[in-house]
Amino acid sequence: QILAGARRVAMQYSPDCNIPYVSVVDGGTVELIRRCGPEVVSSADLVQEFEAVSGQAGYESHCAAGEKVQRIKDEAFAMMSDALRASKKLTENDVKEFILSRFEQEGMSSDGDSPIVGFNDHPADPHFEPTKNNAFTLERGDTILIDLWAREADPPGIYYDVTWCGFAGDDPPKKYVEIFDVVCRGRDAALDLVRERFSSATPCYGWEVDEACRNVVRQAGYADYFLHRTGHSIGIEVHGNGVNIDNLETRDERLLVPGICFSIEPGIYLASERMAVRTEIDVFITPDGTPEVVGPIQRELLRI
């Protein structure tokens, strides 16, 4: 009787399980509700509204975290540069531990996660984590990737998450420069799409932004080496419960809306050639509907 007059019922359901994070209601319950008359629709956008949308305080928290994370990233690369000049032994794990210690000093938290610091083929595993036992020692001629993320401990504590790449020397391999240029162009194509859609008040979906980026990588011939979605939701957890920039692992059909934050982070991973690149920016859709990138965008490989 309660459902008899309802035209639609939003449930934790996603057609074809395109968004598995919210598609958790069992099939029998969906069938029961449909038999009562209403159309079953996805609650995915409602979940995003309640769990991933933040206002001005969230934006300011993200900006504050970004200022500190960018500074710590710069310090990590400077630490590697100093070690090379002094012929001092420095491992991936040493740099990781330095970053974690600086987070603590700055009142930041990564909730127990480890930053990714990888030389040569190590970051060809997109989730590589250095340890004392597996860490490479930095040498001239190494390719370098650092991915670090943290939030301020005080609420709302919106994460900031970036990846930068560098080279230990002045003359990086041509292939390394080439693939870095490809991911930068993919990143920029994704960002351009988001900006164009919001400036024209046209709906923009997570899967579309992934495709804009992935098409650039595909046309360059590296589609098989772009192993993950273009980006993820960011909130009080580094992987939030809002729209992901994804048409690979899932097909995220949620709208980009004011108040959300997400990463754009294409990568190319060439383990056989002992190199990998990823460039990552965070986009915060401000409460007035403006896509903002907080902090600098890497345009060229860092030479250290």
Side-chain angles (χ1 to χ4, degrees):
Q1 292 178 344
I2 294 174
L3 295 171
R7 294 172 55 192
R8 291 183 174 184
V9 174
M11 302 187 72
Q12 303 294 84
Y13 154 79
S14 174
D16 297 324
C17 201
N18 281 340
I19 310 173
Y21 316 103
V22 297
S23 194
V24 296
V25 66
D26 69 278
T29 300
V30 172
E31 293 169 353
L32 174 64
I33 299 301
R34 284 174 172 162
R35 193 161 59 245
C36 292
E39 176 189 359
V40 175
V41 297
S42 177
S43 63
D45 285 319
L46 284 174
V47 170
Q48 172 169 264
E49 185 70 26
F50 284 103
E51 295 193 16
V53 171
S54 60
Q56 186 64 27
Y59 174 67
E60 292 173 1
S61 173
H62 178 68
C63 292
E67 181 179 343
K68 294 178 181 179
V69 169
Q70 287 283 358
R71 183 167 66 248
I72 293 168
K73 175 264 296 177
D74 291 341
E75 292 171 1
F77 276 105
M79 178 187 188
M80 289 186 284
S81 180
D82 291 344
L84 286 172
R85 283 199 300 269
S87 299
K88 178 183 176 181
K89 180 180 178 182
L90 186 72
T91 71
E92 296 162 321
N93 192 63
D94 293 333
V95 181
K96 179 198 80 173
E97 292 298 327
F98 168 77
I99 292 170
L100 290 174
S101 69
R102 290 291 291 119
F103 284 167
E104 184 175 1
Q105 291 166 7
E106 294 284 354
M108 306 281 283
S109 174
S110 58
D111 293 299
D113 286 345
S114 168
I116 297 170
V117 180
F119 307 153
N120 301 324
D121 56 309
H122 266 170
D125 171 3
H127 299 289
F128 171 72
E129 179 179 338
T131 67
K132 287 183 179 180
N133 294 329
N134 71 7
F136 289 158
T137 298
L138 180 65
E139 298 180 1
R140 294 192 180 278
D142 285 350
T143 60
I144 304 164
L145 181 150
I146 298 181
D147 183 353
L148 67 169
W149 55 93
R151 61 174 179 82
E152 292 200 302
D154 294 335
I158 303 299
Y159 264 92
Y160 188 86
D161 179 11
V162 290
T163 306
W164 282 56
C165 291
F167 180 72
D170 297 322
D171 189 20
K174 291 182 179 180
K175 176 68 74 172
Y176 190 50
V177 175
E178 175 189 336
I179 62 176
F180 180 76
D181 175 68
V182 171
V183 296
C184 287
R185 289 191 288 110
R187 174 200 65 202
D188 293 348
L191 180 60
D192 288 346
L193 175 66
V194 174
R195 286 173 167 166
E196 186 276 326
R197 290 291 180 85
F198 274 87
S199 67
S200 63
T202 304
C204 186
Y205 300 91
W207 70 268
E208 293 180 296
V209 184
D210 179 276
E211 278 299 297
C213 177
R214 197 169 302 278
N215 280 338
V216 173
V217 179
R218 185 180 295 122
Q219 290 167 10
Y222 291 103
D224 291 343
Y225 304 98
F226 183 6
L227 307 175
H228 52 73
R229 61 193 176 189
T230 291
H232 58 84
S233 170
I234 296 173
I236 58 174
E237 297 179 348
V238 69
H239 287 206
N241 208 15
V243 56
N244 296 308
I245 309 306
D246 188 4
N247 196 35
L248 177 72
E249 300 173 22
T250 69
R251 181 179 173 87
D252 205 311
E253 298 169 324
R254 286 174 285 189
L255 279 168
L256 276 61
V257 297
I260 64 165
C261 184
F262 56 90
S263 69
I264 297 176
E265 50 179 303
I268 294 175
Y269 307 94
L270 303 179
S272 63
E273 301 193 44
R274 304 192 71 233
M275 63 179 67
V277 296
R278 181 164 64 250
T279 176
E280 180 178 14
I281 59 173
D282 298 344
V283 182
F284 198 109
I285 310 297
T286 62
D288 68 359
T290 303
E292 291 282 355
V293 177
V294 176
I297 299 176
Q298 185 176 13
R299 303 290 182 187
E300 296 181 352
L301 289 166
L302 296 178
R303 272 76 161 175
I304 66 169

